[in-house]
Amino acid sequence: MLWIAGVCALCMLVCLPLFMHYKHHALRYKLAAAFKTCGTLCAAVLALTAALRLDPHCWICFAALMLHAVADYILEFNLWGGAGFFLAGHICYIAFFTSLFPPTSLHLICAVCLLAIMVYMFFFRWRKQIG
């Protein structure tokens, strides 16, 4: 379990500060994007370990994290390309969690309620423009 703390420390104490330094101070965007990607790859290492040692379902989670790593790099240069990879990663997350916990009618009810709240908030925010 010590290696999990080590991976988290590597991500938070090395990758994140170097990303911020190279993006905002040194203005070396490709190197900054590489350190941002390395932070996501730290999480992918944990998912890879879980896939190899614990449960084959974790390969889906590993694939999602790899898609997010690609998205982190591309997002620094192309918003729509990065958003597409993030969308693909989130679809993998949905597949991963629905394989672990199949959706029930309670999930559907909660999703409909949250969607209704979201639609209400959207219309409430734009009520002046809508008329």
Side-chain angles (χ1 to χ4, degrees):
M1 293 308 238
L2 186 60
W3 65 275
I4 295 174
V7 168
C8 293
L10 174 70
C11 179
M12 297 303 289
L13 300 175
V14 176
C15 295
L16 181 62
L18 287 175
F19 163 67
M20 297 301 286
H21 171 73
Y22 284 117
K23 182 172 182 176
H24 297 291
H25 300 294
L27 301 177
R28 297 184 65 191
Y29 298 113
K30 290 183 181 178
L31 189 57
F35 278 110
K36 184 179 179 184
T37 303
C38 285
T40 307
L41 290 175
C42 289
V45 167
L46 300 175
L48 177 64
T49 304
L52 291 172
R53 293 185 175 229
L54 298 177
D55 188 5
H57 284 103
C58 292
W59 283 108
I60 302 170
C61 186
F62 175 71
L65 284 165
M66 292 304 291
L67 287 168
H68 283 233
V70 171
D72 278 336
Y73 188 83
I74 292 175
L75 193 63
E76 292 298 316
F77 309 106
N78 183 347
L79 175 67
W80 295 109
F85 276 98
F86 270 119
L87 176 66
H90 281 87
I91 290 170
C92 287
Y93 283 140
I94 291 169
F96 173 67
F97 285 115
T98 55
S99 70
L100 292 179
F101 307 104
T104 63
S105 59
L106 180 62
H107 293 109
L108 179 63
I109 292 168
C110 289
V112 168
C113 290
L114 289 173
L115 183 64
I117 291 169
M118 186 176 68
V119 167
Y120 173 76
M121 295 303 290
F122 174 78
F123 284 121
F124 182 77
R125 181 176 179 188
W126 294 98
R127 69 186 178 278
K128 289 180 184 176
Q129 288 84 0
I130 294 172

